[in-house]
Amino acid sequence: HIDWKESNPDPQGIGHRAYTEAPGRAVFESMGFNASQLSSAWSLPGRALYGLALPKDWKESAGRMDAFWPRFDGQPMAVDFAFGFSDALREADLELARELDQQNGAWHQFLPYCPEAPEGLAYYRDYTKGGALSALRGGANVFMWELFNEPVYKCMCRHNAALFADWARELHGTIGRANGVWGTVFEDFGDVACQTEFSQFPRLWPDYMKFMARRYADVIAACRGFVRRSEERRVGE
């Protein structure tokens, strides 16, 4: 409704049906596409599940979505969980948003909050659950769920530091062996859990990256489970 304005279609006067008709199966197939992609799942259901207030125009937004789904008439669709409601969370509770913010100096807009914190994982749970259920209830024929678009995950928050310390203890057994591998002088694994920047230890960094890869795989598995349970609920209705 932003790129294609119902009230003023084709403002540039291009004349092609993709600019004069609302997106849907007929438009896509006339252009040679047999599938489509929704760049961001509808976030308002997840926002409500998370306990955040809905915007005043939520009924208008719901009406647009109710009109959107039927136009695709069962065409295969990929649904992307890109943008979510991270801005709404910041507006509602800036302190919580700062606490959950992924402690990562690189760009991480599409994975904004650390899923290691319970409230952070709940953010992704509610977005994927709400987005999946709304799409399926609208009749979307989803063949692929894109859980994270352009993800960057390398969070060095206190939750991940503590988890890494436990993982390193299992990997190396003793802090002496770990120090020997890393070239460090940590007194114990509790000292490891207090660190806020592991990249300062060049020989430790490969272990931290292995740990983070496994953690990200766990996050993907968790979100996949949220979507799968939503699919099961929809089938059972």
Side-chain angles (χ1 to χ4, degrees), residues 22-183:
R25 182 169 190 158
V27 174
F28 274 73
E29 289 186 345
S30 72
M31 298 169 65
F33 295 104
N34 62 5
S36 59
Q37 177 168 353
L38 185 64
S39 64
S40 182
W42 193 32
S43 63
L44 287 191
R47 180 171 167 173
L49 289 170
Y50 200 78
L52 300 179
L54 295 182
K56 293 181 180 179
D57 66 344
W58 71 269
K59 290 185 178 180
E60 180 182 349
S61 179
R64 287 197 298 264
M65 292 306 295
D66 288 343
F68 175 82
W69 298 117
R71 292 199 294 264
F72 285 83
D73 190 27
Q75 184 181 61
M77 175 181 289
V79 175
D80 181 356
F81 292 97
F83 295 103
F85 51 92
S86 58
D87 289 342
L89 176 55
R90 289 190 188 94
E91 293 175 4
D93 194 335
L94 182 58
E95 184 176 349
L96 176 60
R98 286 173 174 169
E99 169 67 20
L100 298 180
D101 186 49
Q102 188 185 156
Q103 302 302 300
N104 180 351
W107 180 89
H108 55 274
Q109 179 178 346
F110 292 135
L111 216 165
Y113 299 129
C114 178
E116 310 305 339
E119 300 93 338
L121 184 60
Y123 171 87
Y124 299 109
R125 177 199 67 200
D126 293 341
Y127 181 31
T128 53
K129 179 181 177 181
L133 284 174
S134 65
L136 295 171
R137 286 175 176 168
N141 180 19
V142 183
F143 73 91
M144 183 180 73
W145 303 95
E146 185 176 355
L147 297 174
F148 291 104
N149 180 52
E150 301 177 20
V152 176
Y153 186 50
K154 190 183 62 181
C155 185
M156 283 176 273
C157 66
R158 57 187 176 86
H159 302 284
N160 265 335
L163 289 170
F164 172 66
D166 290 340
W167 181 84
R169 180 185 291 109
E170 293 182 9
L171 179 66
H172 295 292
T174 68
I175 193 63
R177 292 195 187 97
N179 281 329
V181 172
W182 297 338

